[in-house]
């Protein structure tokens, strides 16, 4: 029996100070209570010396990991040492610093031959010291005799040996030369004698055959039919199936109406966020401004707010930060501002003042009148304090294309201005200049619009504008919510974090 233990792979735990050693048993000296390991590993790292000898007093725990076959024993054992071995010891798999154990195994050359499997037996140092030296087997030998005599253990051993190895061996990748021999990656990392462990290949076909697809789908359909019967629906009704490129959501979008007006004018707009903004009539718009003025939103404050919003929109149309930079002073944009002698004209003058303050070259056209509104006069005095240019004749307007034309000639009530010579001359100049036009608060009637606009800016709530107004934008001029409620409008702001938002026709 002693010959069976020589060459066994063992693990010797020598406590926290000396650590754990692994290797093959090369000699056991029972009188001196010592054991020698060849090709030793210390805490998962291969030792530089070829053999290490341990005393029984230094050993805390011994574990046998693998017991060699008789053939391997005869190849390894020295005949002179067989009689000296009366007990054998084994030890746990090599434990590295991360606590992961690995058991190196020797691949067999034939898939049908029985293979040895790791058998782990715990032995304390007292078992080695107190084991009988003569006339009886050691503790480890008695344990392994009982294991080897068990028929059930042999059957499990044979079945595991025949199924755990795949007959086809994978050729390891060769990475370099050492001492004239080709070494694998495992050998270079863990040692010259480290043997490769081959895992069992997964049987995809066998596992797929265990799945009865027809039975599973039948069970799902039965469950759906029962669910339809419980919910009151027809059991045979099936939900419509969609392709991967089809929309599975509802076709009708959810409509959000934050603003409800007392009278529907027949035209609605939609914001980028999907909010519906209805249009109101000019009479209701005029009433809304009058109530706001009565509560303190004066004409001057409304002009200032509309001028800021219009100038902000104009600066965006002119290129914003891509063009209006301190390093681009030599390419300042030019804006032609066409205004009439009314409140709409005063809004345009306020916009021109803010544009001039942002280094935009503004040319204001406003004819001389004997008497003008006080709001127009005040805005004109402020504009003349800027670097903007004020002209009274159309001939003084630039003959080259400008970057933007802001139209404030039209008015909701004073339609007789269309017959004035200065108005006709300004309209003719704008059509000849071919610059994009921005209209501020254009009238509802398209016949009252002398110039076709590309963009139009509405104040507060939009009017039902026609196609000549171009794309509609809406600006917030600061009308409180309770003012809207006073004129019968259920209002919730659609602006969000902005003061100017685009509107789309629904």
């Amino acid at each position: 029996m002693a010959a069976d233990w020589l060459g066994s792979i063992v693990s010797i735990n020598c406590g926290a100070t000396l650590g754990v050693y692994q290797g093959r048993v090369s000699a056991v000296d029972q009188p001196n209570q010592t054991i020698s390991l060849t090709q030793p590993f210390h805490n998962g790292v291969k030792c530089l010396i070829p053999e290490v000898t341990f005393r029984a007093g230094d050993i805390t725990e011994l574990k046998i990991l693998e017991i060699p076959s008789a053939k391997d024993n005869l190849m390894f054992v020295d005949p002179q040492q067989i009689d000296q071995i009366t007990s054998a010891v084994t030890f746990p798999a090599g434990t590295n610093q991360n606590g992961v154990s690995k058991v190196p195994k020797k691949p067999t050359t034939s898939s049908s031959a029985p293979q040895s499997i790791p058998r782990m037996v715990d032995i304390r140092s007292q078992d080695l010291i107190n084991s009988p030296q003569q006339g009886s087997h050691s503790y480890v030998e008695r344990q392994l005799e009982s294991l080897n005599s068990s028929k059930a253990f042999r059957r499990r051993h044979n079945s595991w040996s025949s199924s755990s190895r795949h007959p086809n061996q994978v050729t390891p990748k060769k990475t370099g030369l050492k001492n004239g021999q080709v070494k694998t990656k495992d050998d270079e990392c863990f040692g010259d004698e480290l043997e490769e462990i081959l895992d069992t290949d997964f049987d995809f076909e066998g596992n797929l055959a265990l799945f009865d697809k027809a039975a599973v789908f039948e069970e799902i359909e039965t469950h759906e039919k029962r669910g339809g019967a419980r919910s009151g629906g027809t059991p045979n009704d099936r939900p419509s199936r969609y392709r991967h490129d089809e929309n599975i959501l509802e076709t009708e979008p959810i409509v959000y109406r934050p603003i409800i007006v007392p009278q529907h004018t027949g035209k609605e707009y939609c914001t980028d966020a999907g909010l519906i903004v209805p249009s109101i009539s000019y009479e209701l718009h005029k009433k809304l401004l009058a109530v706001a003025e009565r509560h303190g939103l004066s004409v001057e404050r409304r002009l200032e707010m509309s001028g800021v919003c219009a100038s902000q929109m104009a600066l965006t149309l002119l290129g914003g930060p891509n063009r209006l930079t301190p390093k681009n002073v030599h390419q300042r944009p030019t804006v032609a501002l066409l205004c009439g002698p009314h409140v709409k004209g005063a809004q345009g003058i306020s916009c021109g003042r803010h544009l001039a303050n942002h280094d935009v070259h503004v040319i204001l056209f406003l004819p001389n009148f004997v008497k003008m509104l006080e709001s127009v006069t005040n805005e004109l005095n402020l504009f003349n304090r800027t670097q903007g240019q004020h002209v009274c004749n159309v001939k003084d307007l630039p003959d080259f294309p400008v970057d933007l034309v802001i139209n404030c000639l039209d008015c909701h009530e004073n339609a007789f201005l269309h017959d004035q010579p200065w108005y006709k001359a300004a309209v003719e100049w704008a059509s000849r200049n071919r610059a994009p036009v921005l209209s501020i608060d254009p009238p509802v009637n398209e016949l009252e619009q002398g110039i076709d606009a590309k963009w139009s800016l509405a104040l507060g709530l939009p009017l039902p504008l026609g196609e000549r107004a171009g794309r509609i934008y809406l600006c917030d001029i600061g009308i409180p919510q309770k003012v809207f409620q006073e004129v019968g409008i259920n209002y919730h702001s659609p602006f969000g974090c902005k003061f100017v938002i685009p509107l789309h026709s629904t």
Side-chain angles (χ1 to χ4, degrees):
M1 294 298 297
D4 295 338
W5 305 109
L6 199 60
S8 300
I9 299 178
V10 299
S11 175
I12 300 178
N13 188 353
C14 298
T17 304
L18 298 179
V20 179
Y21 288 83
Q22 304 90 21
R24 291 187 181 272
V25 178
S26 59
V28 176
D29 188 356
Q30 190 164 350
N32 296 326
Q33 292 289 286
T34 62
I35 183 173
S36 300
L37 301 182
T38 184
Q39 303 174 1
F41 282 77
H42 179 222
N43 292 334
V45 181
K46 187 176 181 180
C47 300
L48 300 179
I49 57 179
E51 189 176 25
V52 180
T53 302
F54 302 90
R55 295 182 304 172
D58 298 332
I59 300 175
T60 304
E61 183 181 10
L62 298 176
K63 291 185 180 180
I64 300 175
L65 294 183
E66 182 180 354
I67 301 175
S69 61
K71 181 179 178 180
D72 294 338
N73 250 357
L74 294 177
M75 296 174 61
F76 186 85
V77 178
D78 185 358
Q80 298 178 358
Q81 297 179 352
I82 294 179
D83 296 336
Q84 300 177 1
I85 302 175
T86 58
S87 62
V89 289
T90 49
F91 66 110
T95 304
N96 56 18
Q97 289 81 347
N98 297 327
V100 180
S101 299
K102 293 187 177 180
V103 181
K105 295 197 64 178
K106 192 170 186 177
T108 59
T109 57
S110 175
S111 60
S112 61
Q115 303 176 15
S116 60
I117 62 173
R119 284 162 286 184
M120 188 171 294
V121 180
D122 294 342
I123 302 177
R124 302 295 176 179
S125 59
Q126 289 298 116
D127 297 332
L128 180 63
I129 298 173
N130 299 327
S131 61
Q133 300 182 8
Q134 295 179 357
S136 63
H137 296 299
S138 66
Y139 170 78
V140 179
E141 291 175 344
R142 292 197 302 271
Q143 291 290 332
L144 293 180
E145 284 178 358
S146 62
L147 290 176
N148 293 332
S149 61
S150 175
K151 295 182 179 180
F153 175 79
R154 293 182 180 276
R155 287 197 298 269
R156 291 194 300 270
H157 175 206
N158 295 334
S159 62
W160 184 89
S161 300
S162 60
S163 61
S164 63
R165 295 291 180 177
H166 194 278
N168 296 329
Q169 299 293 334
V170 180
T171 304
K173 296 182 178 180
K174 299 179 180 179
T175 57
L177 294 175
K178 184 177 180 181
N179 298 329
Q181 298 179 354
V182 178
K183 307 304 295 180
T184 63
K185 289 184 177 180
D186 287 342
D187 290 339
E188 291 183 352
C189 183
F190 301 104
D192 295 341
E193 300 299 329
L194 186 63
E195 298 169 344
E196 184 180 4
I197 301 176
L198 299 179
D199 296 332
T200 304
D201 292 342
F202 183 75
D203 187 5
F204 289 96
E205 296 182 358
N207 283 270
L208 185 59
L210 299 176
F211 176 67
D212 191 353
K213 184 163 46 176
V216 173
F217 280 115
E218 183 179 358
E219 182 181 356
I220 294 175
E221 292 178 359
T222 304
H223 179 73
E224 290 179 352
K225 290 179 180 180
R226 291 178 180 176
R230 287 195 301 268
S231 61
T234 305
N236 294 328
D237 290 345
R238 283 188 173 183
S240 57
R241 301 182 182 274
Y242 300 93
R243 300 194 309 270
H244 68 281
D245 57 344
E246 289 182 323
N247 184 15
I248 63 175
L249 302 178
E250 297 180 0
T251 56
E252 297 181 359
I254 301 176
V255 178
Y256 298 95
R257 294 182 177 275
I259 302 173
I260 300 176
V261 296
Q263 298 177 356
H264 187 61
T265 59
K267 192 166 187 177
E268 293 180 336
Y269 300 94
C270 178
T271 65
D272 291 339
L275 306 179
I276 300 299
V277 179
S279 61
I280 60 176
S281 61
Y282 173 69
E283 289 75 15
L284 184 58
H285 191 272
K286 184 178 179 181
K287 181 180 178 180
L288 177 64
L289 296 180
V291 174
E293 186 175 354
R294 189 176 71 247
H295 285 286
L297 188 62
S298 61
V299 177
E300 289 77 11
R301 300 181 68 174
R302 192 172 76 239
L303 292 177
E304 186 67 19
M305 193 67 186
S306 60
V308 170
C309 293
S311 61
Q312 183 180 6
M313 181 179 175
L315 291 173
T316 303
L317 297 176
L318 292 173
N322 296 326
R323 186 173 182 182
L324 298 171
T325 59
K327 298 180 180 180
N328 199 20
V329 181
H330 61 287
Q331 292 183 350
R332 290 186 356 181
T334 302
V335 175
L337 190 60
L338 308 179
C339 298
H342 38 65
V343 178
K344 307 301 178 185
Q347 293 174 352
I349 299 173
S350 176
C351 174
R353 170 167 56 88
H354 290 291
L355 290 177
N357 291 337
H358 286 265
D359 292 334
V360 178
H361 185 206
V362 181
I363 302 175
L364 170 63
F365 168 74
L366 179 64
N368 285 328
F369 294 95
V370 177
K371 186 178 181 180
M372 292 185 294
L373 295 177
E374 182 180 1
S375 58
V376 177
T377 303
N378 294 336
E379 291 296 332
L380 185 60
N381 291 333
L382 290 175
F383 178 82
N384 291 331
R385 301 298 184 273
T386 66
Q387 297 180 355
Q389 181 181 358
H390 174 212
V391 297
C392 301
N393 197 331
V394 177
K395 297 180 180 180
D396 296 330
L397 291 173
D399 54 356
F400 55 87
V402 296
D403 295 278
L404 180 65
V405 174
I406 299 179
N407 178 25
C408 296
L409 295 173
D410 303 314
C411 182
H412 293 285
E413 299 176 351
N414 299 331
F416 66 91
L417 295 177
H418 293 183
D419 299 331
Q420 300 296 324
W422 59 267
Y423 182 91
K424 295 180 180 180
V427 170
E428 183 181 359
W429 176 88
S431 60
R432 187 174 62 252
N433 192 271
R434 297 183 178 277
V437 179
L438 168 63
S439 294
I440 300 178
D441 194 15
V444 179
N445 191 358
E446 293 188 357
L447 298 178
E448 298 178 0
Q449 298 181 19
I451 303 175
D452 293 341
K454 187 174 182 179
W455 308 281
S456 293
L457 182 63
L459 309 180
L461 284 178
L463 301 175
L465 302 175
E467 296 181 357
R468 298 187 65 182
R471 187 173 181 180
I472 310 301
Y473 284 78
L474 183 67
C475 73
D476 184 8
I477 57 175
I479 301 177
Q481 186 176 9
K482 292 186 177 180
V483 175
F484 285 99
Q485 295 178 358
E486 188 172 344
V487 297
I489 300 176
N490 188 2
Y491 180 83
H492 184 76
S493 175
F495 292 96
C497 62
K498 300 180 181 179
F499 282 88
V500 180
I501 58 174
L503 299 180
H504 311 279
S505 299
T506 57

